[in-house]
């Protein structure tokens, strides 16, 4: 058996660690260690997203996990969708603790623009009809307000989970929680650096039938990252939730990464 690797899995907006329930046992059966995390205000994390004031606070569970790794321990980070942004923050802060970072139809910031840039491009690319029955809200805080959203069942079934089993659609609809994209906060944040974020090996997994982050936008982010992404894989018939619609193909991609990066 190949040497065991430690995978740390990070979910996307509105979702939680639960979305990796098919992938975790598959990786473990292949001999690897798996940590699934809930970001702030997500999954079973006790905070409400309305209480989470910054993107760093949202990503704190990942940053704490990275800080607790042994001095010679390295992990493979895997981020789905908005989880790519949390990966980038961990890469900036702990580049020497990461063997590789895998972006599964995920946001990949660059080192030339503020971190919010790829999210702004995404929102501009999204047709208004995408949101369907998604709920939107705003919470006012000292010095301003921040908006949150919650994917609705129709949006999930038609735009996010369209090729996923109906059981997973039902699971998702019952477990999603409100989310923020922290655009204003990320717009004021320092750019990610070539020395830290840029030095970590990156792999991108394109999901060919994604109606949320389109294939065109995924390819644009790969190009926009410059020479940052070393390896591009594609799962042709995956919707946005590749871990539900194509779990065995996601597994194969991750096992390939485990073999290729030490």
């Amino acid at each position: 058996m190949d040497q065991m690797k430690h995978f740390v899995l990070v979910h996307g907006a509105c979702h939680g660690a639960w979305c990796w329930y098919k992938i975790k046992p598959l990786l473990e059966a292949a001999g690897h260690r798996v940590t699934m995390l809930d970001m702030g205000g997500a999954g079973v994390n006790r905070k409400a997203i309305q209480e989470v004031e910054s993107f760093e606070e949202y990503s704190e569970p990942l940053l704490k996990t990275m800080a607790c790794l042994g001095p010679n321990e390295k992990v493979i980070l895997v981020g789905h969708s908005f989880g790519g942004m949390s990966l980038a923050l961990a890469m900036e802060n702990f580049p020497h603790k990461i063997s590789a970072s895998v972006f599964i139809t995920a946001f990949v910031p660059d080192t030339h623009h503020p971190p919010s840039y790829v999210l702004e491009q995404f929102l501009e690319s999204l047709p208004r009809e995408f949101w369907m029955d998604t709920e939107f809200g705003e919470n006012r805080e000292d010095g301003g307000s921040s908006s949150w959203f919650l994917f609705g069942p129709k949006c999930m079934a038609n735009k996010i989970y369209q090729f996923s089993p109906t059981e997973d659609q039902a699971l998702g609809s019952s477990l999603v929680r409100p989310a923020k994209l922290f655009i204003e906060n990320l717009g004021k944040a320092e750019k990610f650096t070539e020395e830290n974020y840029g030095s970590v090996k990156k792999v991108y997994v394109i999901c060919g039938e994604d109606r949320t982050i389109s294939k065109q936008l995924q390819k644009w982010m790969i190009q926009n990252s410059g020479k940052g992404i070393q390896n591009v894989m594609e799962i042709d018939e995956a919707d946005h939730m590749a871990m539900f619609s194509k779990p065995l193909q996601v597994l194969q991609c991750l096992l390939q990464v485990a073999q290729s990066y030490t």
Side-chain angles (χ1 to χ4, degrees):
M1 186 185 288
D2 292 314
Q3 187 185 0
M4 183 199 82
K5 299 293 197 305
H6 182 184
F7 286 87
V8 178
L9 311 181
V10 181
H11 61 82
C14 297
H15 289 69
W18 54 265
C19 73
W20 301 104
Y21 83 92
K22 291 182 177 179
I23 304 302
K24 182 177 189 280
L26 292 171
L27 283 172
E28 289 173 339
H32 300 293
R33 183 181 164 198
V34 181
T35 299
M36 306 188 304
L37 296 173
D38 286 314
M39 297 297 102
V44 297
N45 184 276
R46 292 186 175 189
K47 289 180 181 175
I49 196 66
Q50 291 84 350
E51 299 166 20
V52 180
E53 293 181 6
S54 68
F55 179 67
E56 194 154 329
E57 184 183 348
Y58 170 80
S59 302
E60 194 176 303
L62 174 59
L63 299 178
K64 281 187 173 176
T65 298
M66 298 301 296
C68 291
L69 293 173
N72 300 314
E73 190 180 354
K74 284 191 166 193
V75 297
I76 295 172
L77 295 181
V78 182
H80 174 248
S81 195
F82 187 60
M85 299 302 295
S86 295
L87 257 59
L89 189 59
M91 293 156 73
E92 184 64 36
N93 285 282
F94 303 98
H96 304 302
K97 292 190 173 187
I98 304 164
S99 300
S101 287
V102 184
F103 295 79
I104 300 178
T105 186
F107 294 111
V108 184
D110 59 43
T111 56
H112 306 295
H113 299 91
S116 61
Y117 178 64
V118 287
L119 298 171
E120 290 161 351
Q121 298 303 305
F122 162 69
L123 291 174
E124 280 179 30
S125 76
L126 213 54
R128 181 170 288 194
E129 57 268 23
F130 165 83
W131 299 101
M132 300 181 79
D133 55 345
T134 296
E135 289 178 49
F136 295 91
E138 200 166 293
N139 57 296
R140 303 201 173 279
E141 301 146 352
D142 296 337
S145 64
S146 64
S147 55
W148 55 265
F149 65 95
L150 176 65
F151 294 128
K154 287 180 184 171
C155 176
M156 291 173 70
N158 290 285
K159 304 295 185 184
I160 305 174
Y161 285 66
Q162 80 271 16
F163 293 147
S164 297
T166 53
E167 297 90 341
D168 292 322
Q169 292 183 29
L171 180 75
S173 292
S174 66
L175 291 177
V176 287
R177 292 178 63 185
K180 294 180 185 177
L181 294 182
F182 301 97
I183 299 251
E184 193 175 332
N185 180 234
L186 287 166
K188 295 173 183 171
E190 294 284 326
K191 295 174 189 171
F192 293 114
T193 65
E194 285 292 342
E195 296 73 29
N196 294 334
Y197 167 71
S199 70
V200 180
K201 296 182 175 76
K202 303 174 190 66
V203 177
Y204 202 97
V205 180
I206 294 173
C207 293
E209 296 294 331
D210 193 331
R211 293 180 187 169
T212 306
I213 302 176
S214 68
K215 185 174 177 179
Q216 184 180 354
L217 189 69
Q218 293 174 64
K219 288 187 164 181
W220 174 81
M221 285 192 288
I222 292 165
Q223 264 189 320
N224 182 60
S225 74
K227 295 178 181 175
I229 293 175
Q230 280 77 17
N231 193 349
V232 178
M233 306 175 185
E234 183 164 354
I235 304 175
D236 287 335
E237 294 176 3
D239 58 18
H240 188 61
M241 303 304 294
M243 64 282 276
F244 292 149
S245 60
K246 294 289 178 183
L248 294 178
Q249 288 86 334
V250 170
L251 173 70
Q252 288 308 314
C253 292
L254 297 180
L255 293 180
Q256 207 174 314
V257 172
Q259 286 183 336
S260 304
Y261 300 95
T262 54

